[in-house]
Amino acid sequence: MKMIDNIKMSNYTLVKKCRICGGENLHLILDLGKQPPANSLIEKSQLDLSEPVFPLRLFWCNDCFLVQLLDIVKKEFLFKHYLYMTSASKPIVEHFTKYALDIHNEFLKKQENPFVVEIGSNDGSLLRQFKKLGSCILGIEPASNLAKLANDSGITTMNDFFSLSNAKKIVESKNASIVVANNVIGHVENLHDLMEGIKILIGEHGVFVFEVPYLLDLVKKLEFDTVYHEHLSYFSVLPIINLIGRFNLEIFDVQKQTVHGGTLRIFVSKKNNFKIKDSVKKFIKLEYEFGINNIKTYDKFSDDVQNLKNKIITLLHKLKNEKKSLFGYGASAKGNVLLNYCNIDSSILDYIIDTTPLKQGKFTPVTHIPIVSSDQISNTENDSIALLLAWNYENQILDKEHDFRSNGGKFLIPIPEPIIK
Ligand code: TMP
Ligand code: ZN
C-alpha cells in the first residue's frame, strides 16, 4: 500500500477536553494509526493524487466515562457530500418502519397534528414512515446531495447542520412532539449546543428519542472498525445522564436494539414528565458491572484489538497464498477502517461489492479497491471468499447470498474472531 502522510492541518484540530464534562483526565485507549476519512471514496481520476489522512485514536474520560475522539476532522469536510444512504440497506429500512410505528403508537397516535423533527435525516427513510402514519415532518440534513434527494421525494428537509439557532427558527412556528436522531449525536462536536437546541425544540411536553451504537457492544465484540472520524463519541448510559442532566432533562427509558452491532434507543424528556422505567437503573448497574469506569477494561480491549488485527492479516495472507479469489462485501465506512488498519489493499481484495449506486464505480480511500455493483457476485469463481465488511448485516447477507454459498463461495466474518462460513 502506498503510504501517504498528508494531514491537511486546516481541516484538523486536536481538542484537549472531554466533550461532555470538560475534564482533562483523558486516557488513550486505542490507536488506529493515521487514516483517511472512512466515507471518502475516491474517483478513478484521483487514484494518483495524495489523499488526506488524520490520526484516529480513542480516548476515555476518567471523570464522566465518555469514550471519544479528540482528533477532529472539520465537519464541513466530512458531511457536506455524503455517500451513505439509509435506503440502500434493506435491514435499516425495515428497522425504521417498525421504529416509526412503535413511536407513533406510544406517543403520537392520540395527539392532534403531531410534528416529528429528525436530526440527520439522510435520504428521509425514517420520516417517510412517520409521514405515512399521519405526522407532519421536518428533516434536517447537512449533506446537500441527500437533502435534495429527500426534498425531491416529498420529505421536507432543511439542508443544514442542526444547531441551537436552527431550533429557535423551527419553534417560531411549532414545538416538536418528537425529535428523533439516529446514529447522529455521536457525530456532533458541540454536544452542549445540540442539547440546548433539542431542549427548546421539545418544549414542555415533547420527547427526544435517539439511537446510538452501544459502547459495551463495541468493547465486548471488538467492533474497532466502528471507530472513525465521523464518530466523535461512543456512548453508554452514564455519560448521557451526565450530559442531559445539565439541561434539566432526564432519561425515562432505555431499550436495546440489534442494529449496527448493538444499539441503544434512549428516551428523554423534561424532568418529571414521565415515569422512569426500570430499564434505566438496569443499564446503569450493567455498566458499572462491565467496568466502564475502569481503565483496565480498556487496556484489555486494546490488546484484544491488536491480536484480532494480527489474526485477520495472517488469515487473509494464508488464503491469498492458497490462490483463493478474495473480494469484499459492503463498502461500508467501517470496512475502510478495517482495510486501513490491517493494510488490506487491492493486492489482496479484487473488488468490493455494494448495493449503493452512489458508491459503485468509486475506489476505497488509500487502499484503492474498486467498488462494483452487487450483481458481480454471480460472476465469482466457485471457491471465492467474501470478506464481510458490513458484518452488522451478517444474517441478512448470508441468507440473501444463498446461491453464492451453495456454489462453494464462503464468507469471512472478521469480528469478533475471524471465521469462515
Ligand atoms: P453500514 O454498515 O454503514 O450500514 O454500511 C453497509 C454498506 O453495505 C452500505 O454501503 C450498503 C452495503 N450493503 C450491501 O452492499 N448489501 C447489503 O445487503 C446490505 C444490507 C448493505
Ligand atoms: Zn468527561
Side-chain angles (χ1 to χ4, degrees):
M1 190 188 325
K2 197 158 71 165
M3 270 321 291
I4 298 162
D5 192 352
N6 179 22
I7 301 177
K8 287 236 168 83
M9 294 313 283
S10 57
N11 287 321
Y12 170 81
T13 345
L14 176 65
V15 298
K16 305 249 166 71
K17 287 188 176 160
C18 169
R19 187 160 297 116
I20 286 183
C21 74
E24 296 184 22
N25 205 351
L26 297 155
H27 296 263
L28 176 65
I29 56 171
L30 182 67
D31 189 343
L32 295 167
K34 290 202 185 84
Q35 295 237 8
N39 268 309
S40 60
L41 302 180
I42 59 170
E43 305 287 344
K44 192 169 190 178
S45 60
Q46 297 171 304
L47 285 172
D48 292 331
L49 305 180
S50 70
E51 291 165 66
V53 292
F54 305 95
L56 184 57
R57 297 175 295 178
L58 208 48
F59 292 82
W60 170 73
C61 172
N62 198 0
D63 296 325
C64 75
F65 317 137
L66 180 68
V67 170
Q68 58 198 294
L69 300 193
L70 303 174
D71 298 296
I72 312 297
V73 180
K74 214 177 187 175
K75 66 182 191 298
E76 286 75 9
F77 187 76
L78 294 177
F79 300 114
K80 273 299 187 185
H81 185 84
Y82 206 51
L83 298 176
Y84 177 78
M85 267 170 78
T86 308
S87 60
S89 297
K90 206 163 149 245
I92 292 292
V93 176
E94 286 163 8
H95 173 71
F96 279 172
T97 307
K98 181 161 186 319
Y99 190 169
L101 192 62
D102 289 349
I103 303 291
H104 175 81
N105 286 337
E106 192 166 353
F107 302 105
L108 301 172
K109 78 176 172 203
K110 296 200 182 107
Q111 287 191 26
E112 260 178 53
N113 304 321
F115 179 36
V116 179
V117 176
E118 184 176 10
I119 301 173
S121 49
N122 198 277
D123 57 12
S125 295
L126 178 61
L127 286 177
R128 181 163 292 111
Q129 303 303 326
F130 280 109
K131 192 175 171 184
K132 271 193 206 156
L133 294 165
S135 285
C136 285
I137 47 125
L138 174 68
I140 304 166
E141 169 55 53
S144 39
N145 58 323
L146 295 176
K148 178 165 185 321
L149 266 177
N151 276 315
D152 289 350
S153 67
I155 304 300
T156 310
T157 303
M158 193 191 255
N159 180 206
D160 205 351
F161 288 98
F162 178 74
S163 63
L164 174 58
S165 73
N166 279 335
K168 285 181 181 159
K169 275 186 227 152
I170 298 167
V171 293
E172 276 170 22
S173 49
K174 205 172 174 181
N175 281 114
S177 328
I178 293 284
V179 174
V180 66
N182 302 307
N183 277 311
V184 67
I185 77 159
H187 297 186
V188 174
E189 188 173 1
N190 189 341
L191 287 175
H192 291 229
D193 181 82
L194 171 93
M195 289 317 305
E196 190 74 47
I198 289 168
K199 180 182 168 181
I200 288 180
L201 206 48
I202 61 176
E204 285 302 305
H205 305 291
V207 174
F208 174 42
V209 189
F210 64 101
E211 289 193 346
V212 283
Y214 194 21
L215 175 75
L216 269 61
D217 287 297
L218 191 168
V219 173
K220 265 193 258 178
K221 294 184 256 168
L222 306 184
E223 297 167 352
F224 70 87
D225 51 353
T226 62
V227 176
Y228 44 91
H229 296 105
E230 289 170 20
H231 295 162
L232 299 175
S233 306
Y234 300 80
F235 287 109
S236 46
V237 173
L238 283 166
I240 295 173
I241 290 176
N242 183 319
L243 172 70
I244 65 171
R246 294 162 190 255
F247 300 90
N248 203 31
L249 300 169
E250 68 187 1
I251 299 182
F252 63 91
D253 194 11
V254 181
Q255 296 170 5
K256 189 73 196 292
Q257 300 287 327
T258 53
V259 286
H260 293 302
T263 286
L264 290 183
R265 181 178 298 169
I266 297 184
F267 296 77
V268 168
S269 68
K270 250 192 101 175
K271 277 193 177 147
N272 307 318
N273 271 9
F274 288 86
K275 183 174 178 303
I276 299 186
K277 296 200 177 159
D278 290 343
S279 58
V280 183
K281 248 196 234 148
K282 196 187 92 190
F283 275 94
I284 294 173
K285 184 163 173 276
L286 178 80
E287 292 182 2
Y288 278 121
E289 282 167 2
F290 183 77
I292 75 154
N293 52 337
N294 189 339
I295 187 70
K296 287 195 185 124
T297 308
Y298 306 100
D299 288 342
K300 176 169 186 314
F301 167 67
S302 180
D303 290 347
D304 290 350
V305 169
Q306 286 170 58
N307 286 334
L308 175 58
K309 168 186 177 168
N310 294 335
K311 283 185 197 164
I312 295 172
I313 296 175
T314 308
L315 179 56
L316 283 171
H317 282 101
K318 176 174 165 282
L319 294 169
K320 199 75 198 169
N321 286 337
E322 290 169 2
K323 306 273 183 268
K324 295 274 196 251
S325 123
L326 302 175
F327 66 98
Y329 196 109
S332 55
K334 68 177 103 48
N336 281 323
V337 177
L338 187 137
L339 298 175
N340 277 290
Y341 182 55
C342 300
N343 296 314
I344 303 165
D345 64 11
S346 54
S347 66
I348 297 185
L349 296 185
D350 297 337
Y351 50 83
I352 301 176
I353 63 172
D354 196 283
T355 44
T356 319
L358 293 174
K359 295 185 180 180
Q360 294 160 6
K362 295 194 163 55
F363 292 77
T364 56
V366 178
T367 51
H368 292 183
I369 303 166
I371 298 163
V372 301
S373 133
S374 36
D375 307 338
Q376 179 71 27
I377 198 156
S378 52
N379 302 327
T380 50
E381 287 165 33
N382 286 347
D383 60 349
S384 298
I385 296 182
L387 173 62
L388 188 60
L389 298 168
W391 46 255
N392 45 329
Y393 304 120
E394 176 183 331
N395 294 341
Q396 294 92 334
I397 290 176
L398 266 58
D399 281 353
K400 186 167 101 179
E401 301 303 355
H402 177 263
D403 288 353
F404 166 71
R405 296 176 73 211
S406 55
N407 287 334
K410 296 219 161 20
F411 278 91
L412 195 179
I413 293 111
I415 68 148
E417 175 81 33
I419 56 161
I420 295 178
K421 278 189 182 172

